[in-house]
Amino acid sequence: MRILVVNVNTTEAMTEAIADTARSVASADTEIAGLTPEFGAESVEGNFESYLAAVAVMQRVTTYPEPYDAVIQAGYGEHGREGLQELLDVPVVDITEAAASTAMYLGYKYSVVTTLDRTVPLIEDRLKLAGLDARCASVRASGLTVLELDQDRAATTRGIVDQAENAVCSDRAEVICLGCGGMAGLDEEITAKTGVPVVDGVAAAVTVAESLVRLGLHTSKTRTYRQPRPKTIRGWPFER
Amino acid sequence: MRILVVNVNTTEAMTEAIADTARSVASADTEIAGLTPEFGAESVEGNFESYLAAVAVMQRVTTYPEPYDAVIQAGYGEHGREGLQELLDVPVVDITEAAASTAMYLGYKYSVVTTLDRTVPLIEDRLKLAGLDARCASVRASGLTVLELDQDRAATTRGIVDQAENAVCSDRAEVICLGCGGMAGLDEEITAKTGVPVVDGVAAAVTVAESLVRLGLHTSKTRTYRQPRPKTIRGWPFER
Amino acid sequence: MRILVVNVNTTEAMTEAIADTARSVASADTEIAGLTPEFGAESVEGNFESYLAAVAVMQRVTTYPEPYDAVIQAGYGEHGREGLQELLDVPVVDITEAAASTAMYLGYKYSVVTTLDRTVPLIEDRLKLAGLDARCASVRASGLTVLELDQDRAATTRGIVDQAENAVCSDRAEVICLGCGGMAGLDEEITAKTGVPVVDGVAAAVTVAESLVRLGLHTSKTRTYRQPRPKTIRGWPFER
Amino acid sequence: MRILVVNVNTTEAMTEAIADTARSVASADTEIAGLTPEFGAESVEGNFESYLAAVAVMQRVTTYPEPYDAVIQAGYGEHGREGLQELLDVPVVDITEAAASTAMYLGYKYSVVTTLDRTVPLIEDRLKLAGLDARCASVRASGLTVLELDQDRAATTRGIVDQAENAVCSDRAEVICLGCGGMAGLDEEITAKTGVPVVDGVAAAVTVAESLVRLGLHTSKTRTYRQPRPKTIRGWPFER
Amino acid sequence: MRILVVNVNTTEAMTEAIADTARSVASADTEIAGLTPEFGAESVEGNFESYLAAVAVMQRVTTYPEPYDAVIQAGYGEHGREGLQELLDVPVVDITEAAASTAMYLGYKYSVVTTLDRTVPLIEDRLKLAGLDARCASVRASGLTVLELDQDRAATTRGIVDQAENAVCSDRAEVICLGCGGMAGLDEEITAKTGVPVVDGVAAAVTVAESLVRLGLHTSKTRTYRQPRPKTIRGWPFER
Amino acid sequence: MRILVVNVNTTEAMTEAIADTARSVASADTEIAGLTPEFGAESVEGNFESYLAAVAVMQRVTTYPEPYDAVIQAGYGEHGREGLQELLDVPVVDITEAAASTAMYLGYKYSVVTTLDRTVPLIEDRLKLAGLDARCASVRASGLTVLELDQDRAATTRGIVDQAENAVCSDRAEVICLGCGGMAGLDEEITAKTGVPVVDGVAAAVTVAESLVRLGLHTSKTRTYRQPRPKTIRGWPFER
């Protein structure tokens, strides 16, 4: 099967990193296609950028020329998943939700460690709408920006591990979700320091997407995620 | 003061109707500027169209050349309000929330009557995120599309009034919110038939916006609605 | 229009201060009438005093001899609003709710800073019943009594500002509501120190009341706030 | 021990009936003193009357000349319990809460059957504040007034039993609470018709009050229910 | 009447201590029969042991040869109460729930102080399912094991009192529930140190059980707690 | 990898059917071992039987002589999953939760269709504790017993499909979960009649278990699901 893994920002290097993570857990017969939006911000850290990403992701996916079996939206706490679900029949998996639903199989409560403080409410809102917030102990910010994550690996690790330890000790988390696509690869260090399992959203989403495809399941088209009604759309990028 | 009232769809006639409603309740010294997005769908009835509208509204407002004191996003249950709040210092008022917070002063529970069944979850989600859902008795759909609302006034009235009556009798609503900008003007008939107060979101939003301006209040810039960080935006429609 | 602003305690000086605050934001054509209950406590800081105030406010309002368009109950976290709504057709606005619904337009979460620790549960209960608690980050007590607020302005300011800072930093509040009529005038200092918007309940309530009147809306009389059934009332103050 | 059972309305015959119910379940060494408020409405069916009752009950209890060990507030869904808790050290038991907490030992969900539709929200609010609403399947109104309950016993029984059956069949209630002091004595007929246990609030409250006394427990005076601070109370009915 | 008080572990000395506590509050005409499970763990501090206890308690109660009027399951936060309710007609009272429902009559919020950290989620889950969690301020662990409670009384008292103080000061608890059958007798010291009422679950449960019996109430057999359907049970301990 | 799929009842034919379903979706390199408890009821339809099954499942799994990588507890709405998590390091997947978390990727709300009315609260409770209830529209009972499901396939299909249609039309479900291991194979007929995706819990659980194993994730041993402390266990079936 082929799974599209769509980055939410326009930084190609992050798309590559995300696709690599996806490939590292994908089944042998799964092809991972990493997509970068054609427009939008170099990193997504707030509502303005996230709404722009929502449209850019929909544009990128719907102009992809080959067939595919599932789509992963690889942004943590971002807008847009419901729109993709309307446009497509194949399953759409958001990494925020995949990380949470995976974590819930492993411990009583989980926490998310993310980048900037300002993105905490976006993640909280997405978890609430997804109905996956009841067992979320906390969403904690490391204070690092998305693009800083790659620049100083030692500082990044320290920042993330510190918040993970706080989550385990103070918030009673028993599992940690890495709240940004750019954090992949930190699991081992965090598990080593905190002793709790660490879930990477992209990796989790690949297994969820493959599972839905193998089960032969599609998005329900009965009400909320019905195909948009045919109507006049004015202006780029969806003119018709 | 000047208040921008932004339609979420590209139908100019609806912008006019919405602006007229706004003017009918605005104070004498308030100027209402009705804005139509430059791109997007002729009517917004689902997530795909709503995400597109979120971006189109942000684009339209941030390119408006004159000063203004507040912005009203005149779509019921639509995405985007949080993005505008990041981009602007002046208050941003969503008509979904204005209708709900107004209704809550008038009765124990309120219901929303909207257009298509598929938009019910969007409204429920927006009310939940706004924290205004605890006293919402129900969101009911009339089955009419946004654009049909204007075509057969008698059928429209009947459809809306039927659902309002169900909300009052079966769901125990004591106030009705009109869940679409295009329903303005139906209040009197509904009140006549059900005996309960009816709140139009656009009218309510004008009074909320004026109130916030008169109180000298601005959007909090301390965390969630902070101005987006300066960064490279590629392509349409916010390149910088 | 004429709006009655009813103090909940019997201290005339507080009624004056509250009415002054109300007048400072009222429209030019709005007359503010400040009312002091004829019986009750000199300050209201708990349930016993608050229940007494509920009756005293109803007695005072229903014996007011002139016509009026709306009533503001100017006590934070007090009982009684629902009783007034039964007795009157005009809108009734509680300052606890007006502050909260106003704050919710300005930030993701708000906190209330109030007087004594013992009044915190009263405020929490009123917000819960009003369905306005979902985005309340915390209700914090300064430890000052209502009557102390006016005696040592420097200590008052320090006490309130300290709690406001705790609310912003520890509880993630993005807006502060002043949780006592006697705190009016502190907004500027708190905003200066915390950088977040500050909402005064009395000022907010005036704009809500004016809005409801301008929209031509009345309390729903369909079920909960129906006029009391005619029956024998024994003893003062409502004998009939 | 002596338990005061305070009626919330001024109808002496109802006080007698309530006290009789209380005596029928009280222990041999428990004295039940039935108290009637000195002022207020002949029946309490809404917020105005209920707030008046809250004060009248506090006045009546605090002027009772003999010692007592506990107080039962014998009105369903009424205001005032928290005020009594401030004024007294001995336990205060509200029949709404006693019925609910008793019912929760007997089945998965319970329903309340009450008098007029307008009192449903009062009961719902009291259960919500008491934190006893999570297992409440429904609060249903028979449409009978408090005073009609005694007039036509056959009609009363039919009205109550009909709603109890609806609660069991449609709302999945497994226990019924009688939502009015005046309904005592109907349990057997309802159990006969619906097959589920029926809880009378007054009877339940007597056992709760006796239990608290036997356990040597008093109201916590650490914060919320602390004695009111000494201050000037002006006028009726608590001048000091 | 006769009440069975069933320990959840196999330590006879704890059964004796629990039965003694029960006898100290039981009415003169109530006989307390303390039962020890025939199999299971010497102390129950987690899910594995608790599920085993659930079955052992059901086995022990259903093989008790004499008649009885009510059953108390004397384990804090343990599984099994719903199973007993299916098997029996007489009331079944869980001490976790009895402590909570009793505490709720005495203060605005209560906390539970228990043994090991790992049992906190079990107690939280039981309170949530019982619908008694809304007013629970916290469940705190002293770090002592069940069997340590009796070994060093001074250390036990210190550990429990420390957490009780934290609950009152930091979590705003106004009442403390002793979260383990083995803590009976600590109430006086805790009340002396914290000033708040302390509820022992076993003592509370005795008064609840007696109350239900005196009210003539039985478990509802209409749906959830219906007698198990006759069917083949293979193997010990319930073969039939 | 090897996955143990444990039936909760003692009916070997059901174990076979469940294992067949599991095998039909398992990866080529996954071995499914179907286990039948050595004691317990022939079908599990209530709390007594379910608690017995909890222990029987733990006994069966911990005496399994070969290595394995994950365990699936194949009972809908049954007790016991937390106990297994304490005893094992490998992932434990409950089919109730696997069905729900899978369904939540496919539609806005899901419903469960189960067997007897009496099992509805068990499923509701498990979903609540799992934190997967927020998007559950309803749990509906077909009225068929577990063992009847296989006897009259036409009646079974009709009963299940009827409730599925009610869930979609009345409760606004967009996905249906088959609420009993014995319902596997009905998906196609239900999808054909209702047009919505149908999730079988056993099939979903296999993909979840495989995913967790492939991701290298284990149950968190930091607090709640820590290995039971070494202690004396008396008697059946875990003596040590």
Side-chain angles (χ1 to χ4, degrees), chain E residues 19-30:
Chain E
D20 285 349
T21 300
R23 281 180 201 112
S24 72
V25 297
S27 297
D29 57 348
T30 296

Side-chain angles (χ1 to χ4, degrees), chain B residues 144 148-161 186:
Chain B
L144 297 157
E148 280 170 347
L149 290 179
D150 265 352
Q151 287 163 8
D152 180 344
R153 205 63 184 175
T156 296
T157 305
R158 206 164 45 240
I160 307 291
V161 169
L186 286 173

Side-chain angles (χ1 to χ4, degrees), chain D residues 22 27 68 75 89 94 96 117 121 135 137-138 140 143 147 149-150 152-153 159 166 170-171 188 208 213 220:
Chain D
S27 297
Y68 50 86
D89 283 342
D94 176 298
T96 326
D117 194 38
R135 289 167 61 198
S138 58
R140 283 180 167 268
L147 299 182
L149 291 178
D150 266 349
D152 180 346
R153 205 62 186 176
N166 287 342
S170 305
D171 308 335
E188 282 174 35
V208 171
V213 173
S220 179

Side-chain angles (χ1 to χ4, degrees), chain B residues 5 15-17 39 77 99 112 142 172 193 195 205-206 213 218 227 239:
Chain B
V5 181
T15 308
E16 282 316 301
F39 54 91
V112 178
S142 65
R172 300 180 64 82
K193 292 246 174 75
V206 170
V213 173
H218 291 77
Q227 185 73 18
E239 186 146 7

Side-chain angles (χ1 to χ4, degrees), chain A residues 55-69:
Chain A
V55 174
V57 164
M58 292 193 286
Q59 191 272 345
R60 188 67 189 86
V61 169
T62 55
T63 57
Y64 184 77
E66 306 292 326
Y68 49 89
D69 299 286

